[in-house]
């Protein structure tokens, strides 16, 4: 990849997510694996000096570009997305957001850390960001800048998960239900799971419970065909709901989700079976609305009852706890963004400083040559003294601004200062070539 | 009240108090650490095990061992002394520290380790006070008494394990019923199984201790005193034995499982502590 220009914005992104665009729009804008590779190639063909990556998940589509003056503008990036997916720019614009430079860097770090996710703290997005980066790397559409940027984004996300409690606690009802089962039973290898009715959440819970390898899954449903349909995905036995009393003796875990308006399991029914069960613990998850299990069942000896509201309350509590971690997570992200932008600025300021000194010395040398030509009577010692004096003057004049530029200036100030130096001193040409040969990414980028 | 006895010096007693304080401090640090990081995804990643709490536990155990070794050297013995409650308290503290380490090592039971710390602190302090206030020479040269004391000590560790797993069970049960997830604990079935195994090991030892105790009382009625069989110590021992007995027979007494078993294992241990206290002061 060619080096990005020192002038103007360098990092740009255009995207949409679950907050800015409805599902229909996100579906239309989503990139398949092949589409993604094709789009990356096309951007690179159109803007060969740019670095490009595309993040496309079910909740977001984002186009990232590191570009100089000849790279795509934000408007052109929006137009590219619209054109690629055959939608109008006007329609797309109403759903997109855009970020440049520091804001873009922080946005990517927040996305990778799942601070921008629909489910705060989920970890799937980290794998998706990694995949987007790897795809772009394989397509050779990323260079030094995006290698460093994405590696730093992954490191920042890992740091957020390690240093905060953003990802602690489960937030999906199915995983909460399974975790509760595991708080009662150490393992399910010798346990029987009874499923009464099978709604969507029941099937999700059952799929996860099935992965724990229960001894037996009994499916009692009013509709035999429905039971058979479900039985194809998970190995289970079909049971007769008419013998529920007997099934309750055998079951260790009960999942209910019928459409019945009356309770299917009464406290009296369970109480009568306690002795036959030898007072073994039983965990009941009532996913039905209205409830299938009488609330009094939950107060029986060694019987634990959770209904859909209980699961939702736990999920909400975990979401709240995760929400409390946002400020701490943003602080971690800020640290990483600062470090990255410092590296990036230092990477740009090195050649800039070199060029600044070269320009000033060229001017002073020219002035000195004119002076010496006009005064042939100067001795060699005097000529050398004049040359040394001029060099010292140039050095002293440039010392303060260069020190300020290369010192620990906040990264956003450094970007502006760099741009100001370029403009004020007319440093439009960059000696020494492209980005790849300037400064290598620091070690931390390679985490 | 505190004075040098022929067998326990003032320095030894103060050292024992410091050892007991170490366990109490370890407990305090562990609770503080748990309050600081209350969330954990599972029992294996139980919070609260800071370097500070571990250091205090290690300090308490090392000091207890040092006092025992010192006393062994002072009495001219080349083995651990076991002459009275003072030594028994120290030895129990070392054994319970071993149990604490095992809990930590097994990871799944790590959350139970915290319960052991105050228990250890209390046992070592009670042993020390009984040693000073109600000094009684165990006369371990007598093999029956040696067996009696040895069974009691190891049995106590087993019942302490049963007690803490019972506490863990009740806490886990309460969390499930209150529908809260404040503290990661092992699953109920794991706690119940551990509780049963601990009592299964401790019960024969308690039985041996009771039989050897009765045997000694019959052999030396003048030491045991008149009507020794109606003494509170003997009655409480029988009650503790009766409390633990149904816990071993879940198939015969299925209703004694779960929370009931947990309560009984705590009650049984409390009764045993009462027996030790009565034996010490009696």
């Amino acid at each position: 990849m060619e080096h990005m220009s020192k002038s103007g914005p360098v990092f740009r992104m255009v995207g949409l997510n679950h907050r800015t665009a409805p599902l229909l729009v996100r579906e239309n804008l989503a990139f398949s694996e092949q589409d993604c590779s094709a789009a990356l190639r096309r951007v690179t063909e159109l803007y060969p000096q740019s670095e490009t990556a595309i993040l496309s998940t079910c909740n977001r589509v984002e186009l990232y570009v590191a570009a100089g003056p000849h790279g795509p503008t934000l408007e052109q990036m929006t137009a590219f997305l619209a054109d690629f997916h055959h939608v109008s720019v006007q329609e797309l614009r109403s759903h997109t957001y855009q970020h440049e430079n520091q804001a873009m860097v922080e946005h990517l770090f927040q996305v990778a850390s799942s601070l921008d996710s629909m489910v705060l703290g989920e970890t799937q997005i980290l794998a998706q960001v990694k995949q987007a980066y790897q795809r772009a790397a394989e397509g050779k559409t990323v260079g030094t800048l995006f290698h460093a940027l994405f590696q730093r984004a992954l490191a920042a996300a890992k740091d957020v998960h390690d240093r905060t409690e953003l990802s602690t606690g489960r937030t999906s009802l199915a995983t909460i239900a399974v975790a509760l089962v595991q708080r009662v039973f150490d393992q399910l290898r010798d346990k029987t799971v009874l499923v009464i009715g099978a709604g969507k959440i029941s099937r999700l819970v059952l799929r996860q419970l099935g992965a724990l390898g229960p001894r037996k899954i009994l499916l009692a449903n009013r509709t035999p065909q429905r039971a058979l349909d479900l039985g194809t995905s998970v190995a289970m036995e079909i049971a007769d709901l008419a013998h529920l009393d007997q099934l309750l003796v055998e079951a260790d875990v009960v999942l209910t989700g019928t459409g019945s308006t009356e309770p299917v399991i009464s406290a009296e029914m369970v109480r009568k079976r306690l002795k036959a069960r030898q007072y073994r613990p039983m965990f009941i998850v009532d996913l039905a609305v209205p409830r299938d299990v009488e609330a009094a069942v939950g107060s029986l000896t060694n019987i634990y009852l959770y209904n859909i509201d209980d699961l939702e309350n736990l999920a909400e509590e975990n979401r709240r706890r995760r929400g409390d971690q946002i400020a701490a997570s943003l602080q971690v992200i800020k640290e990483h963004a600062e470090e990255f932008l410092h590296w990036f600025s230092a990477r740009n300021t090195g050649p800039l400083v070199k060029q600044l000194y070269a320009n000033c010395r060229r001017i002073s040398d020219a002035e000195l040559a004119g002076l010496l030509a006009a005064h042939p009577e100067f001795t060699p010692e005097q000529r050398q003294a004049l040359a040394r004096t001029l060099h010292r003057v140039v050095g002293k004049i440039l010392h303060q601004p260069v020190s300020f530029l290369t010192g620990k200036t906040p990264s956003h100030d450094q970007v502006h200062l760099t741009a100001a130096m370029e403009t004020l001193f007319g440093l439009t040409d960059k000696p020494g070539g492209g980005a790849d040969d300037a400064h290598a990414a620091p070690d931390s980028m390679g985490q | 009240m505190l004075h040098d006895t022929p067998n326990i010096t003032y320095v030894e007693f103060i050292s024992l108090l410091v050892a007991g304080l170490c366990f109490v401090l370890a407990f305090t640090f562990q609770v503080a650490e748990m309050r600081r990081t209350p969330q954990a995804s599972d029992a294996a990643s139980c919070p609260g095990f800071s370097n500070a709490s571990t250091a205090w536990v290690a300090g308490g155990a090392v000091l207890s061992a040092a006092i025992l070794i010192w006393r062994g050297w002072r009495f001219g013995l080349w083995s651990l002394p076991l002459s009275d409650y003072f030594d028994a308290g120290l030895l129990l503290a070392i054994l319970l520290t071993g149990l604490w380490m095992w809990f930590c090592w097994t990871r799944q039971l790590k959350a139970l380790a915290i319960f052991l710390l105050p228990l250890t602190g209390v046992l070592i302090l009670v042993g020390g006070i009984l040693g000073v206030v109600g000094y009684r020479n165990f006369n371990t040269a007598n093999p029956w008494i040696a067996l009696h004391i040895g069974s009691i000590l190891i049995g106590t560790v087993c019942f302490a394990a049963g007690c803490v797993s019972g506490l863990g069970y009740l806490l886990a049960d309460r969390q499930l019923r209150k529908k809260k997830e404040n503290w990661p604990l092992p699953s109920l079935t794991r706690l119940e199984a551990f509780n049963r195994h601990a009592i299964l090991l401790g019960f024969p030892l308690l039985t041996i201790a009771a039989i050897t105790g009765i045997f000694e009382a019959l052999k030396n009625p003048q030491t045991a005193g008149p009507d020794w069989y109606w003494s509170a110590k003997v009655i409480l021992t029988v009650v503790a034995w009766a409390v633990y007995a149904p816990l071993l027979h879940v198939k015969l007494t299925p209703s004694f499982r779960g929370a009931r078993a947990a309560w009984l294992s705590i009650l049984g241990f409390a009764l045993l502590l009462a027996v030790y206290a009565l034996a010490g002061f009696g």
Side-chain angles (χ1 to χ4, degrees):
Chain A
M1 286 289 112
E2 291 291 315
H3 170 64
M4 308 305 152
S5 168
K6 293 170 294 179
S7 305
V10 172
F11 298 110
R12 298 186 184 115
M13 69 80 55
V14 172
L16 50 90
N17 65 16
H18 55 281
R19 289 197 196 89
T20 63
L23 181 60
L24 187 65
V25 176
R26 298 204 305 272
E27 280 173 346
N28 286 339
L29 269 289
F31 287 90
S32 67
E33 190 80 21
Q34 290 81 6
D35 283 353
C36 205
S37 301
L40 287 170
R41 276 197 303 275
R42 208 160 127 194
V43 174
T44 311
E45 282 164 16
L46 289 168
Y47 307 100
Q49 292 190 325
S50 303
E51 298 185 31
T52 313
I54 292 173
L55 175 63
S56 180
T57 72
C58 53
N59 282 330
R60 72 182 61 247
V61 175
E62 292 179 343
L63 172 62
Y64 290 87
V65 168
H70 306 300
T73 60
L74 290 168
E75 192 57 32
Q76 286 169 321
M77 288 166 70
T78 310
F80 172 83
L81 284 175
D83 180 52
F84 193 89
H85 292 288
H86 311 294
V87 295
S88 75
V89 175
Q90 284 74 21
E91 187 195 341
L92 182 59
R93 201 177 283 133
S94 63
H95 297 297
T96 56
Y97 47 84
Q98 305 167 341
H99 295 296
E100 287 184 340
N101 296 328
Q102 184 169 0
M104 183 275 226
V105 170
E106 288 178 353
H107 174 77
L108 175 63
F109 289 8
Q110 287 175 16
V111 167
S113 307
S114 86
L115 280 168
D116 200 42
S117 296
M118 184 183 274
V119 179
L120 192 65
E122 55 103 0
T123 50
Q124 197 183 3
I125 187 66
L126 183 57
Q128 289 165 331
V129 170
K130 195 173 184 181
Q131 194 183 21
Y133 164 55
Q134 283 172 341
R135 192 188 297 117
E138 283 163 14
K140 299 192 190 321
T141 63
V142 293
T144 311
L145 291 177
F146 267 12
H147 276 306
L149 177 68
F150 276 84
Q151 285 173 17
R152 174 61 76 164
L154 298 174
K158 189 173 176 299
D159 215 14
V160 166
H161 293 308
D162 287 348
R163 286 167 56 187
T164 72
E165 292 173 21
L166 189 70
S167 301
T168 57
R170 298 160 184 89
T171 51
S172 91
L173 299 189
T175 51
I176 287 172
V178 172
L180 287 167
V181 169
Q182 289 178 305
R183 282 171 62 187
V184 177
F185 302 107
D186 205 35
Q187 41 82 20
L188 293 184
R189 283 196 302 276
D190 57 347
K191 301 291 180 286
T192 299
V193 178
L194 170 65
V195 185
I196 305 170
K200 189 182 167 191
I201 303 176
S202 294
R203 282 195 293 260
L204 285 172
V205 176
L206 193 54
R207 198 162 291 134
Q208 296 203 23
L209 280 178
L212 298 176
R215 183 174 66 89
K216 196 193 286 184
I217 296 177
L218 296 170
L219 180 58
N221 203 334
R222 287 204 171 89
T223 318
Q225 184 55 46
R226 181 84 185 276
L228 286 172
D229 288 346
L230 193 63
T232 54
S233 60
V234 183
M236 62 179 68
E237 292 176 18
I238 307 303
D240 189 349
L241 195 56
H243 299 137
L244 184 56
D245 279 12
Q246 197 50 43
L247 295 174
L248 286 175
V249 174
E250 196 178 348
D252 297 294
V253 178
V254 179
L255 296 180
T256 69
T258 74
S260 171
T261 51
E262 295 295 318
V264 177
I265 299 175
S266 66
E268 189 59 18
M269 187 190 288
V270 180
R271 196 184 58 74
K272 280 182 181 169
R273 296 289 149 189
L274 287 178
K275 197 171 180 185
R277 291 178 50 78
Q278 298 231 312
Y279 295 89
R280 284 177 3 256
M282 178 159 66
F283 189 81
I284 304 175
V285 186
D286 183 358
L287 299 165
V289 179
R291 287 177 290 181
D292 279 344
V293 186
E294 280 183 3
V297 170
S299 55
L300 293 172
T301 309
N302 296 337
I303 308 293
Y304 302 92
L305 169 65
Y306 277 69
N307 61 37
I308 192 96
D309 277 359
D310 299 327
L311 299 180
E312 189 50 59
N313 287 342
L314 285 172
E316 185 53 39
E317 175 73 6
N318 287 338
R319 278 195 286 269
R320 190 190 57 72
R321 280 179 185 154
R322 286 184 177 192
D324 291 345
Q325 297 298 312
I326 290 175
S329 305
L330 286 174
Q331 183 56 38
V332 176
I333 284 173
K334 193 179 168 197
E335 289 168 17
H336 278 271
E338 282 288 323
E339 280 182 34
F340 173 79
L341 290 167
H342 264 299
W343 166 79
F344 175 67
S345 299
R347 179 184 174 281
N348 271 0
T349 52
L352 185 79
V353 169
K354 198 173 162 188
Q355 194 188 358
L356 181 62
Y357 272 102
N359 282 3
C360 290
R361 285 203 174 119
R362 197 178 62 240
I363 293 165
S364 71
D365 286 349
E367 289 299 316
L368 179 65
L371 179 71
L372 294 178
H375 296 279
E377 71 277 14
F378 285 173
T379 64
E381 288 77 21
Q382 287 172 323
R383 286 165 184 266
Q384 282 175 5
L386 271 172
R388 278 199 300 272
T389 304
L390 266 177
H391 274 168
R392 272 204 303 275
V393 169
V394 167
K396 284 184 176 176
I397 290 171
L398 293 181
H399 175 75
Q400 179 64 19
V402 167
S403 298
F404 194 71
L405 189 64
T406 55
K408 292 202 168 182
T409 316
S411 54
H412 55 278
D413 289 352
Q414 212 162 22
V415 171
H416 294 308
L417 280 172
T418 305
M421 293 280 269
E422 286 172 357
T423 309
L424 291 171
F425 290 94
L427 305 173
T428 51
D429 295 320
K430 178 183 180 302
D436 294 342
D437 60 5
H439 286 70
D443 288 346
S444 58
M445 298 291 167
Q447 285 170 5
Chain B
M1 185 179 80
L2 299 181
H3 54 85
D4 279 10
T5 72
N7 287 286
I8 301 161
T9 65
Y10 191 74
V11 173
E12 284 168 354
F13 182 72
I14 295 294
S15 303
L16 177 138
L17 290 183
V18 173
L21 191 64
C22 284
F23 290 106
V24 174
L25 281 172
F27 174 69
T28 312
F29 274 96
Q30 203 162 340
V31 170
E33 181 68 14
M34 283 181 69
R35 288 176 68 88
R36 200 177 65 79
T37 52
Q39 284 299 300
S41 53
D42 54 55
S45 53
C46 176
F49 288 84
S50 64
N51 290 338
S53 68
T54 307
W56 283 113
V57 173
V62 167
L63 187 55
S64 302
I67 301 167
L68 271 180
I69 291 167
W70 160 255
R71 281 169 62 77
W73 178 80
R74 191 160 69 83
F75 295 143
L77 302 170
W78 290 104
S79 58
L80 285 178
L82 193 56
S83 61
D84 54 56
Y85 290 105
F86 189 90
D87 296 331
L90 291 167
L91 197 54
L92 265 179
I94 294 166
L95 291 172
L96 288 173
T97 303
L99 186 63
W100 182 88
M101 286 167 66
W102 186 70
F103 278 164
C104 296
W105 179 68
T106 53
R107 290 178 63 79
Q108 285 299 326
L109 294 169
K110 197 174 172 182
L112 296 183
I114 192 169
F115 295 118
L116 278 175
L117 297 176
L119 199 61
T120 309
V122 167
L123 279 174
I124 196 172
L125 293 175
V126 168
I129 291 167
L130 284 177
V132 173
V133 176
Y135 178 78
R136 173 177 289 191
N137 193 329
F138 286 162
N139 186 23
T140 46
N142 180 334
W144 289 106
I145 292 181
L147 184 61
H148 179 72
I149 300 296
S151 303
I152 287 175
L153 282 177
I154 300 170
T156 302
V157 174
C158 296
F159 290 127
C163 176
V164 296
S165 58
L167 281 170
Y169 188 98
L170 292 176
L171 198 57
D173 178 84
R174 184 182 158 82
Q175 285 189 165
L176 273 166
R177 290 195 187 282
K178 293 276 178 193
K179 292 162 185 171
K180 296 282 177 194
E181 199 176 13
N182 300 329
W183 194 17
L185 283 161
S187 67
L188 291 180
T189 51
R190 182 180 284 266
L191 286 166
E192 190 179 30
F194 180 75
N195 179 275
R196 195 158 55 245
H197 288 141
I199 290 164
L200 199 65
L201 278 173
F203 191 77
L205 294 167
L206 176 65
T207 310
I208 291 169
I211 291 170
T212 49
I214 291 167
F215 181 80
E216 264 307 301
L218 290 172
K219 209 168 74 170
N220 299 305
Q222 70 282 6
T223 313
D227 298 333
W228 59 266
Y229 37 84
W230 288 117
S231 67
K233 181 179 96 170
V234 172
I235 290 169
L236 283 183
T237 304
V238 172
V239 172
W241 193 91
V243 163
Y244 282 124
L247 300 182
L248 300 177
H249 305 94
V250 173
K251 289 201 173 166
L252 294 175
T253 56
S255 59
F256 284 96
R257 64 182 300 169
R260 281 186 193 173
W263 276 117
L264 286 178
S265 55
I266 295 165
L267 175 67
F269 190 68
L271 286 169
L272 286 182
L273 292 184
V275 170
Y276 301 158
L278 285 170
F281 287 110

